[in-house]
Structure formats: structure tokens, C-alpha cells
Amino acid sequence: MKNVSKRVLGALAAGVLMVSPIISSVTASAAKTLTTSPSHTQEVGWYNDYHHEIWQADTNNSSTMTLHENDGGFRAQWKCGPNNTSGNFIANRGLRWGLNNPKTYKDYGNFYCDYECDWCAGSSGNSRIGIYGWAQNPLVEYYIIEDWKNWSIAQDPSAEYKGSVNIDGGEYKVYTISRNAYTIEGNKGFTQYISIRQNTRTKGTISVSDHFKAWEDLGMKVGNLYDISFSVEGWESDGQAEVSMNMYQGICDCGHHKDDYVKNIQMEYDSQYKQMRFTWDAVNGADSYGVAVYLAGKWRVQEENITDTEYTTPKNLTLGKTYKVAIAARVNDKWDTANAIKNAVTFTVE
């Protein structure tokens, strides 16, 4: 399975601790900031293997999108209400093939998005987060909504309920809406496909292709892909969001990207030598493990190419000092950094 971000674990060089991408997404540096305004309403482009877009309309204010350097995430801030206008804002980042792409999702294998989104929005208008994109033949604008504020698209009186599906451990209700407005092909008619998660969430894995398959099972054809992105959208609302995200594509019928990460980390402290021993459960398909420690505001590689399921720190750790440690597995030449971060352990030397 291809990790679009193409990041791998860094190595130790000459015994010096090196800053490593193993944990970089937790402190992903803000490398590029885009700004829109009433006179400059859109910015699009590519940065570090991901396509990005920020867009606003009908607001007198400015909005920003700051791209993470080390993952596909971004920070967004928008102000579209209440100001007696129909202000609208979108920020998204992901994959784009462009107009007249001859391929459908079936030609690519499966698409997944691992994400975490810390976000808030005011009480006016409405906002949503999740997967967003377009497809052609037929012309479709689609949403996989993970969380929303104040108002759901399901409440649109023109929404037609198509059915319910269970994907990624949750129920999604599926709707279609016919529209006539601006599209990737100009002003014309099109259809919206919408999956809305019922037990809303702000982090997890979105199996995008499973939604495509479910829609087609409900008679909703998914044609040639234009793009797939993780999106934050606000209409007549003010808000902000911090998104960590990685998108994957490829053939994977095993779910390794979701299930095969380091689990059951155990710690054993040796008070005589003032060192800590870590053990963990073996990860299916892993050929090595890496260990990183969070020190002085940065994650630093302590060891990599560990072939066993244990690691012992150097002796004489500092008494009273608190350490945060993450352990990642490498499966099919890919480091699972996102789950390493989420499952980091903390201990204090006593």
C-alpha cells in the first residue's frame, strides 16, 4: 500500500540523536501559510505530495490555511459570519488527478485517510469536517461527513435518503441532492452524494473506497475521480481547526494500516541501574521496530532496526525526569508513525 506522504523513519548517524519523521506529525511544523480575502478568494497548489485548496466567498473577512510540512495536515482559521452575508469557506488537502481523469476508484485499489481534527466553530451558520471531492461521468460532488456543527446536510429539504451503511465501526446515513451551481466543469447541474456518520468523531480511519462501493450498491454511480481530500468547511460561521492527516492508496485487503501497530507496551524499571525496559506485542508483518523519545520539545530517535519486541534504555536516567516514549513498527517498508504517537507512554524516573 502506498503512503502518499512518502515519509520514512530517519536513522541514527555517528551516534548522534537525529530528529526523525517517526513522530514529526505530532509537532508538524507549519511550513506554508495561505491567505484569502475579499479580493483574493482562492489558493490552490501542491506541497509535499499533497494537493491543497483554500477558498472563501461572500465575506468581508480574511481566512488562512497553514500547511504542515511533515504530514498532510493543516491549520485553518475562518470568519464567515454572522455578518448578514452567506459567507462560505473551504480548506482541504489530499489527492487530485484533475479534469478528464480516465480512471475510477476501482483502478487504484483502496483509499484510506487516517486523521485527527481538533476543531471548533461558533453558534452561527454550520460547519463540517470529513472527506470531500468530485467525480465525473456522472458529475458528482461528494461528502463523507465525520463531524458537524449546528446543522446537518440531512436537514436540507431537498435531500433524498438512500439508505444506511456500516463502515469503520459506525453507521452512516446516505443522501443525494440535485444541485445547479458552479462545478469543476462550470455552471451546470450535478448531484451531491453524502454519507453522514451518526456517532460523530474527530479522529480515526476513513475507508473512502468502502463508501464508494456502498454508494454504488445503492444505485449511485461513482465515475472518474477528480480528487479526494480531507476538508474543513464553514458556512456563515467562524471557526478554527488543526488537522493531522495522512492519505493512503493501494490494494490492501488486510487492514494492516489500521490494526497492525505496536500494542500492549509494558515498562519495567531497574532502580539499580536507573534504566527502563520496554516490551510489546509482536506486530503482524513487521520486520523492525523503532523507538523515539520526546525531549526538549522534539521527538528524537533513540534506536531503530530493533528486530525483537523489547528495548532497554541507556543506564543512569535522570532522577525525577519525565520521559515520553513512542514505539513504531515497520510493515511493508512503511513506518506507522500516527499510531506510534497516539500510543506513546510516559514515565518518571524515581
Side-chain angles (χ1 to χ4, degrees):
M1 185 168 61
K2 179 183 179 184
N3 181 339
V4 178
S5 65
K6 298 178 182 176
R7 298 286 176 176
V8 296
L9 182 67
L12 279 172
V16 179
L17 293 176
M18 303 294 291
V19 177
S20 165
I22 182 174
I23 308 297
S24 58
S25 61
V26 78
T27 55
S29 58
K32 185 175 183 179
T33 298
L34 312 171
T35 301
T36 53
S37 67
S39 61
H40 182 71
T41 60
Q42 186 182 40
E43 285 272 2
V44 297
W46 287 88
Y47 188 75
N48 284 358
D49 301 314
Y50 287 100
H51 188 272
H52 58 264
E53 177 178 15
I54 178 175
W55 172 85
Q56 72 172 53
D58 303 319
T59 175
N60 296 323
N61 303 304
S62 296
S63 302
T64 62
M65 179 185 190
T66 302
L67 308 178
H68 289 182
E69 183 177 6
N70 296 314
D71 71 353
F74 57 91
R75 179 185 302 115
Q77 293 181 305
W78 69 97
K79 190 173 180 62
C80 293
N83 57 6
N84 298 316
T85 71
S86 56
N88 197 3
F89 168 84
I90 296 175
N92 59 59
R93 200 172 180 197
L95 310 179
R96 177 169 292 187
W97 298 273
L99 292 168
N100 303 314
N101 175 25
K103 295 183 178 181
T104 72
Y105 74 93
K106 297 175 184 177
D107 297 309
Y108 292 99
N110 297 319
F111 290 99
Y112 306 94
C113 179
D114 291 332
Y115 81 97
E116 183 167 353
C117 182
D118 182 9
W119 77 301
C120 62
S123 59
S124 69
N126 60 83
S127 309
R128 62 196 61 87
I129 65 169
I131 296 296
Y132 172 80
W134 287 86
Q136 295 179 281
N137 303 314
L139 184 59
V140 168
E141 180 185 41
Y142 65 85
Y143 291 86
I144 302 170
I145 298 174
E146 295 286 285
D147 193 20
W148 53 273
K149 309 289 188 185
N150 304 330
W151 182 88
S152 165
I153 294 178
Q155 297 170 255
D156 189 313
S158 61
E160 179 184 353
Y161 178 64
K162 304 296 288 187
S164 174
V165 298
N166 286 287
I167 298 173
D168 296 324
E171 179 191 7
Y172 291 81
K173 290 188 176 180
V174 179
Y175 301 84
T176 62
I177 302 177
S178 296
R179 302 286 194 194
N180 195 312
Y182 178 78
T183 77
I184 57 174
E185 297 180 0
N187 289 315
K188 61 189 305 183
F190 64 100
T191 304
Q192 291 179 324
Y193 293 176
I194 306 152
S195 287
I196 304 176
R197 190 176 178 94
Q198 299 305 289
N199 54 327
T200 57
R201 60 179 181 170
T202 58
K203 64 179 179 180
T205 296
I206 305 171
S207 299
V208 180
S209 297
D210 287 356
H211 288 268
F212 294 160
K213 295 170 187 174
W215 292 341
E216 293 206 319
D217 288 342
L218 293 170
M220 302 156 57
K221 181 182 176 181
V222 181
N224 307 97
L225 287 180
Y226 175 83
D227 65 350
I228 301 173
S229 63
F230 188 90
S231 175
V232 176
E233 181 173 0
W235 186 82
E236 289 191 353
S237 73
D238 301 338
Q240 59 185 11
E242 180 72 45
V243 180
S244 296
M245 184 273 289
N246 281 294
M247 198 167 286
Y248 303 83
Q249 72 179 72
I251 297 173
C252 177
D253 57 3
C254 54
H256 285 174
H257 72 289
K258 293 185 287 185
D259 300 322
D260 284 357
Y261 59 90
V262 173
K263 301 175 184 176
N264 193 30
I265 300 173
Q266 302 292 319
M267 299 180 288
E268 182 180 352
Y269 181 59
D270 186 329
S271 58
Q272 179 180 356
Y273 296 103
K274 297 182 178 61
Q275 60 186 161
M276 185 71 73
R277 177 175 177 266
F278 297 90
T279 59
W280 55 89
D281 291 347
V283 172
N284 184 29
D287 58 19
S288 65
Y289 302 91
V291 175
V293 180
Y294 191 72
L295 293 171
K298 294 182 179 180
W299 285 97
R300 300 177 182 273
V301 175
Q302 187 70 37
E303 186 62 82
E304 65 170 346
N305 294 326
I306 301 170
T307 56
D308 203 352
T309 57
E310 65 175 74
Y311 169 74
T312 301
T313 68
K315 297 179 181 179
N316 297 316
L317 297 175
T318 305
L319 286 174
K321 189 168 185 176
T322 298
Y323 294 85
K324 189 174 183 180
V325 176
I327 303 171
R330 187 175 68 186
V331 179
N332 296 328
D333 294 324
K334 305 296 181 185
W335 290 99
D336 187 346
T337 61
N339 280 305
I341 298 163
K342 295 175 186 177
N343 294 281
V345 294
T346 303
F347 69 93
T348 301
V349 180
E350 297 178 349

